[in-house]
Amino acid sequence: MADTRPSYEIEQEILGSSVRVTKRAEIRSLNGSMVIAEPKVVGGSLSVDASRDERRSLSIEFPSDGLEIGPDGLWYDKQIVPYYGVETSAGSWEMQLGVFMVDKIDENRRDRKIAASCRDLTKLMLNAKLTLPVLYPAGTPVYDIIFTQATLSGVHNMLLPWNSEESPTLAADTSFDVDTPRFNIVKTIADAHAQEVFFDSFGYLVVREYQDPFLMPTVFDFRYGGTTGNVVSFTRSADDSELFNHVSVIGEREGNLPIFVDKKVTYPLSPVHESKIGDRVAPAYRSSLIPTEERAHRIAERLLYTASLQQYAIDLESIPVPWIEAGDVIGFIDPVDDSLPTKQGVDYGRGPTKWFLQSFDIPLGLGSMSIKAARLEVIFNGESA
């Protein structure tokens, strides 16, 4: 796979100068063969949200002239592959935004447009369901389960963190009933081993360890104001609807006493300590696939990291940076005075501040990139990010 991030020279042009935004798409069959190489794209947007099973969704518009709706043109058995790019004085660059299955097609005769709503390849795995019960005995490699279920769903491009020999194995017999979506099998198994599952911009099924928002470096820094700002304007709003300072994990083991792990924010100066906001308990996480107390502690720590983040929504008016991914940590720098001294890239104003990127939207064309992020604050060990 190609590197998604542009060269330094082109990135500086994107963030600091006028550029020409390019957009295009390909319509392919399910096996990847080209059906329509480059239908004209007149609008649309990409939405990426780490909280959804279908992390990537797409709305896209084509002119109706020359594009047929039906099995020989745009239809439900097709894949849409969009691209976003720029042309600058330093050169041109583009990146693929995902591989999408069509959900809905609308034709507007007056405007002569065809609009399609799409989801990423998670749709394939959600629609592919078991027709017979499946039992995986203890000792089965997790790799084998994920690889098999993805392949039987029609997914063949994967980035898995292990091979069959290096893979962790099931600690207990695990069964799944008829009508269980194959994606749910993969997600259940991966979750129990502290792995997240999603399709990336290349259409690969990615299984990776949940990113630690406390320890992760920023992948990109947004800066407001001053001579080096790359954000025209922004708004911030606080929301505590999903803020918790107390989590519990329950490992339900057949024939054995369950595993109980309880974690809460204990650092008294934390802004989300129970002395400040009360005891806010998240819904309990239950799984029959948690073999040990150590594994339960790891899952609880990961849940507490994200559940106790103070949530802010950030809207940026800037040229989009589509090479970032939901789940990454970004920087947002809002200096009080750009004339203040800096040392090793640190502003002696309000920042930098680390943010956990939860979701973003990118227009297929001119327009701003909208970001929803959670600010990383004091968690439970007396340190802050």
Side-chain angles (χ1 to χ4, degrees), residues 127-139:
N127 288 338
K129 300 179 181 180
L130 296 182
T131 56
L132 294 171
V134 170
L135 171 66
Y136 290 109

Side-chain angles (χ1 to χ4, degrees), residues 88-105:
T88 76
S89 60
S92 60
W93 166 86
E94 74 169 11
M95 69 166 286
Q96 183 176 316
L97 299 179
V99 178
F100 297 90
M101 301 294 297
V102 176
D103 271 334
K104 184 181 180 183
I105 304 171

Side-chain angles (χ1 to χ4, degrees), residues 212-218 221 309-310 329-333 351-357 373-377 384-385:
D212 186 336
F214 184 67
L215 299 176
M216 285 168 58
T218 60
D221 289 334
L309 295 177
Q310 296 189 77
V329 169
I330 59 173
F332 183 72
I333 303 169
T353 303
K354 294 172 68 177
W355 300 72
F356 183 73
L357 180 58
R375 185 174 177 177
L376 303 191
E377 284 287 0
S384 61

Side-chain angles (χ1 to χ4, degrees), residues 21-175:
V21 176
T22 63
K23 55 186 182 296
R24 68 181 183 92
E26 299 167 351
I27 299 178
R28 304 176 184 173
S29 64
L30 192 58
N31 64 13
S33 61
M34 194 72 69
V35 176
I36 303 176
E38 289 197 19
K40 185 178 180 180
V41 177
V42 295
S45 63
L46 168 75
S47 173
V48 185
D49 190 331
S51 68
R52 296 190 306 236
D53 285 343
E54 305 97 327
R55 178 167 291 197
R56 314 180 92 82
S57 64
L58 175 76
S59 63
I60 190 167
E61 292 182 338
F62 306 99
S64 57
D65 296 341
L67 182 60
E68 179 182 348
I69 298 179
D72 294 328
L74 181 61
W75 202 237
Y76 302 103
D77 60 346
K78 302 301 189 298
Q79 296 177 345
I80 297 179
V81 182
Y83 295 84
Y84 179 97
V86 295
E87 294 179 356
T88 76
S89 60
S92 60
W93 166 86
E94 74 169 11
M95 69 166 286
Q96 183 176 316
L97 299 179
V99 178
F100 297 90
M101 301 294 297
V102 176
D103 271 334
K104 184 181 180 183
I105 304 171
D106 293 305
E107 182 177 9
N108 187 318
R109 289 296 182 90
R110 185 188 67 180
D111 295 338
R112 296 185 177 182
K113 291 181 181 179
I114 296 175
S117 301
C118 316
R119 287 180 287 168
D120 66 25
L121 296 181
T122 308
K123 178 181 177 179
L124 273 180
M125 299 188 67
L126 288 171
N127 288 338
K129 300 179 181 180
L130 296 182
T131 56
L132 294 171
V134 170
L135 171 66
Y136 290 109
T140 303
V142 171
Y143 171 93
D144 292 356
I145 299 173
I146 293 176
F147 182 87
T148 300
Q149 293 302 325
T151 301
L152 291 174
S153 302
V155 173
H156 303 288
N157 295 323
M158 306 174 216
L159 291 175
L160 306 184
W162 353 258
N163 56 34
S164 185
E165 290 73 28
E166 300 169 342
S167 169
T169 59
L170 295 184
D173 293 352
T174 305
S175 62

Side-chain angles (χ1 to χ4, degrees), residues 304-334:
L304 190 59
Y305 270 134
T306 55
S308 61
L309 295 177
Q310 296 189 77
Q311 310 225 350
Y312 295 85
I314 310 177
D315 291 312
L316 308 176
E317 289 187 17
S318 69
I319 294 287
V321 286
W323 56 86
I324 60 179
E325 178 64 69
D328 287 342
V329 169
I330 59 173
F332 183 72
I333 303 169
D334 177 21

Side-chain angles (χ1 to χ4, degrees), residues 169-355:
T169 59
L170 295 184
D173 293 352
T174 305
S175 62
F176 296 94
D177 208 348
V178 173
D179 287 335
T180 303
R182 297 188 186 276
F183 182 82
N184 290 5
I185 296 174
V186 170
K187 184 173 175 61
T188 299
I189 296 292
D191 262 347
H193 291 81
Q195 306 285 319
E196 65 174 333
V197 181
F198 63 92
F199 282 90
D200 68 7
S201 63
F202 292 97
Y204 277 68
L205 177 67
V206 176
V207 178
R208 70 177 184 182
E209 189 169 5
Y210 277 99
Q211 305 297 283
D212 186 336
F214 184 67
L215 299 176
M216 285 168 58
T218 60
V219 298
F220 187 82
D221 289 334
F222 292 95
R223 179 188 293 270
Y224 178 73
T227 58
T228 58
N230 51 37
V231 174
V232 176
S233 66
F234 74 95
T235 59
R236 279 190 291 201
S237 59
D239 184 346
D240 72 345
S241 61
E242 297 180 4
L243 178 66
F244 304 99
N245 53 20
H246 192 168
V247 301
S248 58
V249 173
I250 303 172
E252 299 169 324
R253 301 180 296 176
E254 186 175 352
N256 294 285
L257 290 174
I259 297 172
F260 290 97
V261 169
D262 197 68
K263 280 191 179 292
K264 59 167 55 178
V265 174
T266 57
Y267 183 56
L269 298 183
S270 169
V272 296
H273 188 265
E274 64 179 332
S275 63
K276 296 179 173 64
I277 64 171
D279 187 21
R280 296 193 180 192
V281 184
Y285 179 90
R286 300 172 180 269
S287 175
S288 61
L289 301 178
I290 301 175
T292 64
E293 188 169 325
E294 185 273 336
R295 177 73 55 76
H297 274 282
R298 285 179 57 197
I299 293 174
E301 287 183 358
R302 185 254 301 173
L303 291 174
L304 190 59
Y305 270 134
T306 55
S308 61
L309 295 177
Q310 296 189 77
Q311 310 225 350
Y312 295 85
I314 310 177
D315 291 312
L316 308 176
E317 289 187 17
S318 69
I319 294 287
V321 286
W323 56 86
I324 60 179
E325 178 64 69
D328 287 342
V329 169
I330 59 173
F332 183 72
I333 303 169
D334 177 21
V336 176
D337 185 346
D338 197 54
S339 66
L340 291 173
T342 62
K343 181 180 181 182
Q344 297 179 342
V346 177
D347 280 68
Y348 294 90
R350 299 180 191 166
T353 303
K354 294 172 68 177
W355 300 72

Side-chain angles (χ1 to χ4, degrees), residues 371-385:
I371 287 178
K372 181 179 179 181
R375 185 174 177 177
L376 303 191
E377 284 287 0
V378 177
I379 308 299
F380 50 80
N381 60 356
E383 300 179 53
S384 61

